[in-house]
Amino acid sequence: MRSDYFQKFGSGDDEAFEKQRRDAMRTIEGHGKRDAAELAEMKEGERAKWLLWNLHENLEEFRKLEPTLIGQVMCTQLTVTDGLSMATEKVGMEKKIELNCRWHLRLAYSTYKNEEAYLIGDGLVDLSVSNTLPSHPPLQKNQKGYLDSDSSLYPNQLYLYGWVTEPVWEEIKQHLYQPTPNCHTDLVLRDNCLFPVKTGFSFVAGPPGSVGITNVEFRVSSHSMERRQNRRAETL
């Protein structure tokens, strides 16, 4: 099924694509129309559906909640291929990073002047490492990736397919492989870089029902043992 999406990206058949998008949104409409106050009562998969529907069908109101999607990196895998690529069908070297994430949705309620975070399940981030826009996954200029939930095995999980440049990879890899449990890395997607893949947003591409991403932010948090010991010594 995903190969059909890839073929669509370059076909220019906007009407057929829009029909697929509307069909995809119709299947999750019941979850999407629920009030944000009900998020605490929803299951993780229901929150993922709520997020995708509101980004597509209720974007202006959804923006008011200042949503931030945070993927806590739990596990990493680097794959280097030298030869024929199964994705691009070209011969050469290909480098990819896979990040297993635990996704959280953070919303800011301006009326109550507070923020709430909701767990929306596990997922996978698949990033190509390249200094030029890759041909796989097919993206628009300046687009960094797209967020999707299409998986026959795990249909309610979130998947991010995209790319980062070599300098970005060199900058973050030392933190991803940090052995201390007091250091963790998050992948952050802010509301001003999330756009539904639909008519009117031609600067992003992706499968029907997906969300285009124009910025990818990595955030490293560390609390070293040495700093903790110093703080303890100061209090004695």
Side-chain angles (χ1 to χ4, degrees), residues 7-211:
Q7 293 171 12
K8 150 67 190 87
F9 293 173
S11 70
D13 189 1
D14 292 336
E15 186 176 339
F17 184 84
E18 179 61 17
K19 182 180 183 302
Q20 286 182 298
R21 188 197 69 81
R22 288 197 303 266
D23 290 343
M25 289 299 104
R26 197 173 294 118
T27 63
I28 61 174
E29 183 176 9
H31 299 283
K33 284 190 172 182
R34 296 176 67 177
D35 192 86
E38 300 180 53
L39 280 168
E41 304 169 7
M42 298 183 197
K43 297 178 180 178
E44 294 173 12
E46 293 174 333
R47 293 178 191 138
K49 295 175 182 177
W50 182 89
L51 168 69
L52 290 170
W53 187 89
N54 276 278
L55 280 168
H56 274 265
E57 306 298 327
N58 193 32
L59 185 62
E60 291 305 315
E61 289 299 313
F62 189 61
R63 287 277 198 247
K64 296 176 183 178
L65 296 175
E66 299 180 12
T68 303
L69 193 59
I70 303 172
Q72 183 181 358
V73 179
M74 310 300 294
C75 177
T76 70
Q77 177 176 294
L78 170 67
T79 303
V80 179
T81 304
D82 187 12
L84 178 63
S85 168
M86 298 298 290
T88 63
E89 297 183 352
K90 294 180 180 179
V91 176
M93 189 183 79
E94 183 181 80
K95 189 183 297 183
K96 290 172 54 178
I97 320 162
E98 287 188 4
L99 309 175
N100 288 94
C101 288
R102 183 165 295 157
W103 292 104
H104 292 81
L105 176 64
R106 188 175 65 202
L107 301 177
Y109 297 91
S110 56
T111 306
Y112 308 107
K113 296 182 179 180
N114 70 337
E115 293 183 344
E116 295 287 346
Y118 302 95
L119 184 65
I120 54 176
D122 297 333
L124 178 71
V125 176
D126 191 339
L127 299 175
S128 297
V129 180
S130 172
N131 284 327
T132 58
L133 185 68
S135 57
H136 176 82
L139 303 170
Q140 298 286 8
K141 182 182 178 181
N142 299 324
Q143 183 180 353
K144 282 299 178 181
Y146 64 80
L147 191 71
D148 194 20
S149 62
D150 175 52
S151 171
S152 57
L153 293 177
Y154 306 102
N156 296 328
Q157 293 190 6
L158 293 180
Y159 297 85
L160 192 160
Y161 298 89
W163 73 291
V164 293
T165 60
E166 286 277 2
V168 171
W169 167 238
E170 290 299 322
E171 184 70 29
I172 67 169
K173 69 178 182 181
Q174 58 183 317
H175 303 292
L176 291 173
Y177 299 124
Q178 173 64 251
T180 171
N182 302 310
C183 176
H184 70 264
T185 303
D186 295 334
L187 188 148
V188 182
L189 306 175
R190 302 184 185 278
D191 65 323
N192 60 347
C193 70
L194 301 173
F195 298 90
V197 179
K198 61 186 292 189
T199 303
F201 295 99
S202 58
F203 53 88
V204 290
S210 65
V211 175

